[in-house]
């Protein structure tokens, strides 16, 4: 069966903090979807909110200087080309892996974000 | 345990303040989380304030606080242990004994870990600064907000977000490995330097220097230089801050107005600090690994040691700025280099160099002040006036404004 990836772009009104009063109700709607469509869901993860994101750019080509910036990658000129799920103990380990992804050093960017422990 | 009679409450508060950073640093490692460490420390502080006035101050107050705080953290953990926190519990119960807590190397490493986690490059620089002031400096949120001239809500939100990002990303509580150390250390030094710069020349507000911030930056640097005595850039920043402190008393006059370097009363400079700065710098330079902070320190030392403004070693300052431009190119460095050049080669040389920088430095108050000054020296009153007027439009600091208005009138 062919596999499709569904990127979930949240509404501006979505709760951005785990302790927001509306968070549980908000998440329950996704749980409900997960139950209904469970037969077709091959995988996925809940990302931590935008404030947990770090964007990585390697300047000067492969193996160059790793430059970090706080927050998600907001430019839209470049295309979202794929994703990896990386196993890493700490952010530093995730960054070290992400910096080797070609788009990090060929003029694109890689955004790393922790997933919510489920 | 010392005698009771000498321990008045203010002494106790001061001792706790001095021990705070080291104790917090160890607690973060043991409790695995900054919030728990801070809460446990607060509880241990309450306990100390209750018990020390009668029982006397322990001979090792830091170890006492760590032990009590560790017990408090464990209590909290047991109360709230809905989730699996087995690992943390092991660290808290089976962790080091009181003897180990006092181990010099452990305390040293924990303090360094604290510097590196506060100034992790995945955090925005303002967050790094706020976390360092809070966790290492021991400033309250209100004090940080006051120092950074912003609302308490804004400071509090930034600190909360920073701690949440550290927790969500499981940012490691460790000293960076050798290959990443130089760059990570540079990040830490930059954050401390920013605290100092903000205190030395407040970008906005009614005063130009904020002694609380410069003192805090110096304290953080002293601690870091003690922890990393073999890092020349660390010593370089230390020398820079001490050399600047030597001249601090003449930055403003008795009315709080800005006094430029040529007009400073050098008899009021702190000779002791000036020579201390030089000896710290000499120690740094012996490693033979120059860097931007050592170069800035060298420039600052030349100013602090010069008998008069005219007798300052401008040729050497120009040379140092050349090298600094190579190490850490920035508009500020280029403008300062042009100003030094004007002292060495005359106002025309300086001005032609400044002209080349006009594009990049257009939004910077001091650039226009420097242009105005050199135009004035060349007898070009209308160009000087124009530069000063531009500078006036750009400044947000009341003292700078008064100073520039004074230049316009003269």
């Amino acid at each position: 069966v062919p596999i499709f990836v569904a990127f979930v772009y949240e509404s501006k009104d979505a709760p951005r903090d785990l302790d927001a009063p509306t968070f549980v109700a908000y998440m329950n709607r996704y749980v409900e979807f997960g139950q209904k469509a469970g037969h077709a869901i091959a995988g996925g993860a809940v990302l931590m909110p935008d404030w947990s994101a770090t964007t990585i750019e390697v300047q000067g080509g492969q193996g160059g200087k790793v430059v970090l910036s706080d927050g998600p990658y907001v430019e839209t000129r470049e295309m979202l080309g794929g994703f990896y799920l990386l196993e890493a103990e700490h952010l530093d380990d995730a960054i070290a892996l992400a910096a080797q992804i070609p788009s990090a050093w060929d003029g694109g960017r890689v955004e790393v974000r922790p997933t919510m422990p489920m | 345990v010392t005698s009771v009679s000498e321990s008045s409450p203010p002494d106790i508060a001061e001792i706790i303040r001095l021990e705070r950073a080291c104790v917090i640093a160890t607690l973060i490692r043991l409790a695995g989380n900054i919030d728990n460490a801070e809460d446990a420390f607060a509880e241990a502080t309450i306990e100390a304030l209750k018990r020390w006035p009668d029982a006397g101050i322990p001979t090792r107050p830091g170890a006492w606080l760590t032990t009590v705080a560790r017990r408090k953290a464990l209590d909290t953990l047991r109360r709230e242990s809905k989730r699996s926190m087995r690992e943390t519990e092991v660290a808290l119960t089976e962790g080091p004994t009181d003897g180990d807590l006092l181990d010099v190397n452990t305390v040293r490493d924990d303090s360094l870990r604290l510097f590196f986690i506060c100034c992790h490059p995945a955090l925005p620089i303002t967050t790094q600064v706020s976390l360092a002031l809070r966790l290492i400096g021991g400033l309250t949120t209100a004090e940080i907000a006051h120092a950074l001239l912003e609302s308490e809500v804004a400071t509090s939100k930034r600190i909360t977000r920073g701690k949440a990002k550290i927790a969500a990303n499981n940012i490691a509580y460790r000293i960076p490995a050798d290959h990443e150390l130089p760059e990570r250390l540079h990040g830490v030094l930059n954050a401390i330097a920013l605290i100092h710069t903000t205190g030395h020349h407040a970008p906005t507000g009614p005063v130009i220097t904020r002694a609380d911030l410069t003192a805090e930056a110096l304290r953080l640097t002293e601690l870091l230089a003690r922890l990393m005595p073999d890092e020349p850039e660390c010593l370089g920043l230390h020398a820079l801050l001490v050399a600047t402190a030597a001249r601090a008393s003449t930055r403003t006059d008795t009315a709080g107005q800005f006094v430029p370097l040529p007009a400073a009363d050098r008899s009021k400079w702190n000779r002791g600090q000036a020579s201390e700065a030089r000896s710290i710098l000499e120690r740094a330079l012996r490693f033979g690994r120059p860097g931007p902070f050592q170069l800035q320190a060298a420039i600052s030392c030349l100013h602090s040691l010069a008998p008069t403004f005219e007798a300052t070693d401008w040729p050497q300052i120009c040379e140092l700025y050349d090298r600094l431009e190579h190490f850490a190119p920035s508009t500020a460095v280029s403008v300062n280099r042009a100003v030094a050049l004007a002292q060495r080669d005359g106002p025309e040389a300086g001005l032609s160099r400044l002209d080349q920088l006009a594009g990049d430095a257009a939004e910077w108050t001091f650039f226009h002040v420097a242009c105005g000054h050199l135009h004035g020296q060349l007898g070009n009153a209308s160009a000087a006036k124009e530069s000063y007027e531009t500078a006036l439009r750009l400044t947000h600091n009341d003292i700078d404004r008064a100073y520039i208005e004074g230049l316009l009138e003269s």
Side-chain angles (χ1 to χ4, degrees):
Chain A
V1 186
I3 294 216
F4 290 83
V5 179
F7 295 107
V8 179
Y9 294 99
E10 297 175 286
S11 140
K12 281 195 289 292
D13 306 325
R16 291 170 78 226
D17 286 294
L18 310 192
D19 50 6
T22 53
F23 184 76
V24 172
Y26 178 78
M27 279 310 292
N28 279 340
R29 307 199 315 231
Y30 283 89
V31 172
E32 199 182 309
F33 167 76
Q35 285 161 353
K36 262 195 284 192
H39 63 280
I41 295 174
V46 184
L47 298 186
M48 291 292 281
D50 58 347
W51 51 256
S52 71
T54 306
T55 299
I56 295 149
E57 179 191 8
V58 178
Q59 292 175 350
Q62 190 169 16
K65 183 178 158 65
V66 179
V67 177
L68 306 181
S69 53
D70 180 61
Y73 185 52
V74 289
E75 289 284 329
T76 51
R77 282 179 292 117
E78 281 86 352
M79 288 169 67
L80 180 59
F83 71 92
Y84 291 98
L85 291 173
L86 302 174
E87 284 184 352
E89 192 64 39
H90 304 288
L91 177 63
D92 288 338
D93 305 343
I95 289 169
L97 287 165
Q100 298 172 51
I101 299 173
S103 72
W105 48 263
D106 67 5
R109 299 286 192 284
V110 173
E111 174 189 332
V112 294
R113 238 201 256 199
T115 59
M116 205 170 289
M118 302 302 266
Chain B
V1 173
T2 58
S3 69
V4 179
S5 57
E6 286 167 40
S7 56
S8 61
D11 290 337
I12 291 179
E14 179 63 10
I15 286 167
I16 293 172
R17 200 183 69 81
L18 290 173
E19 297 289 344
R20 189 180 190 280
C22 287
V23 175
I24 291 265
T26 298
L27 288 172
I28 292 173
R29 178 168 51 80
L30 296 176
N33 157 329
I34 296 171
D35 281 329
N36 289 353
E38 284 191 297
D39 290 348
F41 182 82
E43 289 193 62
T45 301
I46 293 168
E47 195 80 18
L49 291 172
K50 221 166 19 185
R51 303 233 308 246
W52 292 2
D54 295 328
I57 293 165
T59 37
R60 298 176 197 85
W64 190 98
L65 288 165
T66 309
T67 306
V68 172
R70 185 167 58 145
R71 209 180 59 230
K72 299 281 184 192
L74 188 59
D75 290 347
T76 310
L77 193 72
R78 286 190 175 134
R79 256 196 328 267
E80 295 174 354
S81 65
K82 278 170 277 178
R83 282 172 287 179
S84 158
M85 290 219 174
R86 183 75 197 127
E87 235 174 84
T88 312
E89 190 164 348
V90 169
L92 285 167
T93 46
E94 296 169 14
T97 62
D98 291 358
D100 295 331
L101 288 176
L102 285 173
D103 180 76
V104 178
N105 291 325
T106 310
V107 171
R108 190 196 91 111
D109 286 356
D110 281 339
S111 299
L112 274 176
R113 288 184 185 106
L114 187 52
F115 271 101
F116 283 108
I117 206 160
C118 288
C119 303
H120 193 280
L123 301 168
I125 184 79
T126 40
T127 304
Q128 297 177 26
V129 162
S130 306
L131 285 175
L133 289 173
R134 162 73 167 267
L135 295 170
I136 314 171
L139 271 62
T140 64
T141 304
E143 285 169 332
I144 298 168
H146 179 71
L148 301 180
L149 304 167
E150 63 182 11
S151 74
E152 256 187 81
V153 177
T155 306
S156 166
K157 192 171 171 187
R158 186 176 330 104
I159 290 173
T160 306
R161 273 281 152 80
K163 289 193 286 194
K165 183 165 187 182
I166 289 170
N169 283 281
N170 199 20
I171 292 182
Y173 195 53
R174 65 184 172 202
I175 300 166
D178 286 349
H179 70 277
E180 46 185 10
L181 190 64
E183 197 158 329
R184 291 289 308 278
L185 178 62
H186 190 68
V188 172
L189 296 175
N190 265 339
I192 300 175
L194 181 62
I195 294 172
H196 180 260
T197 312
T198 309
H200 188 63
H201 197 141
T204 58
V207 294
I208 196 157
T209 52
R210 306 200 52 91
D212 44 354
L213 273 187
T214 51
E216 196 50 51
L218 186 55
R219 216 167 69 81
L220 292 176
T221 313
E222 277 166 357
L223 174 60
L224 193 60
R226 262 206 313 279
L227 295 167
M228 305 194 106
D230 296 332
E231 288 296 336
E233 276 294 89
C234 199
L235 297 171
L237 179 64
H238 189 197
L240 171 63
L241 299 200
V242 174
T244 312
R247 304 192 302 270
S249 64
T250 62
R251 291 237 331 142
T252 53
D253 61 19
T254 45
Q257 296 301 308
F258 174 67
V259 179
L261 193 58
D265 176 1
R266 292 178 184 233
S267 70
K268 290 193 181 133
W269 286 1
N270 188 324
R271 299 279 149 211
Q273 278 180 317
S275 62
E276 185 197 348
R278 183 169 63 181
S279 70
I280 298 168
L281 177 63
E282 281 166 353
R283 193 145 38 91
L285 294 174
R286 278 201 287 274
F287 288 94
R289 286 187 280 143
F293 287 113
Q294 292 169 79
L295 288 166
Q296 290 176 70
I299 293 166
S300 193
C301 280
L302 285 174
H303 284 304
S304 293
L305 293 163
T308 64
F309 183 76
E310 292 71 24
T312 306
D313 190 346
W314 295 109
Q316 204 185 338
I317 287 181
C318 287
E319 221 170 281
L320 289 164
Y321 270 122
D322 283 346
R323 296 182 64 194
L324 187 57
E325 216 174 23
H326 165 76
F327 267 107
S330 78
T331 309
V333 169
S334 300
V335 170
N336 280 312
R337 183 173 163 272
V339 170
L341 207 68
Q343 288 303 320
R344 191 188 68 182
D345 301 340
E348 269 163 357
L351 207 51
S352 84
R353 181 83 195 105
L354 283 175
D355 279 343
Q356 295 166 32
L357 302 167
D360 293 331
E363 298 299 310
W364 195 32
T365 310
F366 177 69
F367 167 77
H368 297 283
V369 172
C371 288
H373 181 68
L374 295 182
H375 279 306
Q377 282 189 335
L378 290 168
N380 193 343
S382 69
K385 182 166 177 278
E386 201 178 311
S387 292
Y388 289 143
E389 280 169 353
T390 310
L392 205 54
R393 275 199 302 277
L394 290 170
T395 185
H396 297 289
N397 178 290
D398 299 348
I399 301 297
D400 279 346
R401 187 170 298 119
Y403 172 64
I404 300 163
E405 279 166 357
L407 292 172
L408 266 171
E409 280 161 26
S410 63

